[in-house]
Amino acid sequence: EAQVTQNPRYLITVTGKKLTVTCSQNMNHEYMSWYRQDPGLGLRQIYYSMNVEVTDKGDVPEGYKVSRKEKRNFPLILESPSPNQTSLYFCASRRQGGGNTIYFGEGSWLTVV
Amino acid sequence: AQSVTQLDSQVPVFEEAPVELRCNYSSSVSVYLFWYVQYPNQGLQLLLKYLSGSTLVKGINGFEAEFNKSQTSFHLRKPSVHISDTAEYFCAVSGSGSARQLTFGSGTQLTVLP
């Protein structure tokens, strides 16, 4: 089954404690991306990757890092989380090309206290 | 730069009534347009998309949308809604040829009342 898998799905953490949200896709997609969803703001892109070892900033990259060492994996790293990073996070992937359908993971609820 | 405006943040409607969710976009290049649906506690899934050709696009679950270039709109419609259509709906635009620019609107919460 084609899918994008994120872990953890739910996490409560404390300010400053580094955390990683993993993302894996089994569709051999070149393009992967991270979004955060906040009430009234829709989905905002954090980082994206066009292929292995190629990453770029989205609209709200501050406080986040990513890496793309393998085609299937695209982890999101919060080096020093702060309360304003409390949000619902989605990983997504698609084949290269702006018209192709994006497939989303089920989301990761992150609370920073 | 491109942007998407969803004019209604909440749309309540009675079961079996028609519904229209409005979406307007702005872009300086040719675009692809999408509608995604998010059911409670789930990720987003594609309802339909416009790439080129016929301006009337049919999607899953009886939804359709019409691309209107002159009005820069891509409104979503369904002639008769069901309780199970209660969800949040997102309009999105992607610049043709651009990997980065998939921009989402702020979402419309559709609530179908019995």
Side-chain angles (χ1 to χ4, degrees):
Chain A
E1 180 188 354
Q3 58 186 5
V4 179
T5 304
Q6 301 177 221
N7 280 296
R9 295 287 315 282
Y10 304 92
L11 179 64
I12 301 174
T13 191
V14 296
T15 299
K17 184 177 181 182
K18 180 180 178 180
L19 69 92
T20 299
V21 186
T22 64
C23 174
S24 180
Q25 50 96 1
N26 64 359
M27 296 168 277
N28 203 36
H29 287 166
E30 296 86 7
Y31 179 90
M32 296 186 75
S33 182
W34 276 102
Y35 295 85
R36 60 177 288 174
Q37 182 180 9
D38 301 289
L41 298 177
L43 276 79
R44 295 179 293 167
Q45 190 177 51
I46 302 170
Y47 270 93
Y48 68 98
S49 169
M50 293 177 66
N51 215 322
V52 176
E53 302 291 3
V54 181
T55 63
D56 206 349
K57 296 177 180 178
D59 298 314
V60 289
E62 294 77 21
Y64 304 96
K65 286 175 56 177
V66 293
S67 69
R68 188 90 182 274
K69 293 184 171 55
E70 306 166 283
K71 198 172 186 179
R72 64 182 291 125
N73 296 323
F74 191 46
L76 179 70
I77 303 156
L78 286 72
E79 293 271 3
S80 183
S82 62
N84 64 11
Q85 293 178 295
T86 292
S87 187
L88 174 59
Y89 292 86
F90 287 102
C91 181
S93 74
R94 63 166 164 79
R95 287 188 294 120
Q96 204 62 274
N100 290 309
T101 301
I102 270 201
Y103 294 86
F104 286 86
E106 293 192 324
S108 295
W109 284 97
L110 172 63
T111 301
V112 184
V113 298
Chain B
Q2 60 197 28
S3 64
V4 178
T5 302
Q6 292 185 243
L7 297 162
D8 306 296
S9 60
Q10 305 217 23
V11 173
V13 62
F14 287 106
E15 194 172 17
E16 297 184 5
V19 69
E20 178 180 83
L21 306 184
R22 297 180 292 170
C23 172
N24 286 89
Y25 70 92
S26 68
S27 177
S28 58
V29 299
S30 296
V31 296
Y32 302 127
L33 293 156
F34 305 80
W35 275 99
Y36 282 85
V37 60
Q38 183 181 28
Y39 297 105
N41 299 316
Q42 293 186 27
L44 282 76
Q45 57 182 276
L46 181 71
L47 265 182
L48 48 80
K49 63 181 177 181
Y50 171 80
L51 302 182
S52 65
S54 173
T55 57
L56 183 63
V57 180
K58 293 189 184 296
I60 62 171
N61 299 339
F63 284 93
E64 64 181 33
E66 185 155 20
F67 171 56
N68 188 319
K69 189 174 182 179
S70 62
Q71 297 186 5
T72 60
S73 67
F74 191 55
H75 300 333
L76 181 70
R77 301 185 182 98
K78 187 170 182 178
S80 175
V81 294
H82 190 268
I83 296 285
S84 60
D85 292 323
T86 294
E88 188 150 25
Y89 292 79
F90 292 94
C91 182
V93 61
S94 172
S96 58
S98 169
R100 172 188 176 187
Q101 293 176 321
L102 181 62
T103 303
F104 284 86
S106 56
T108 297
Q109 173 64 43
L110 173 65
T111 302
V112 181
L113 306 166

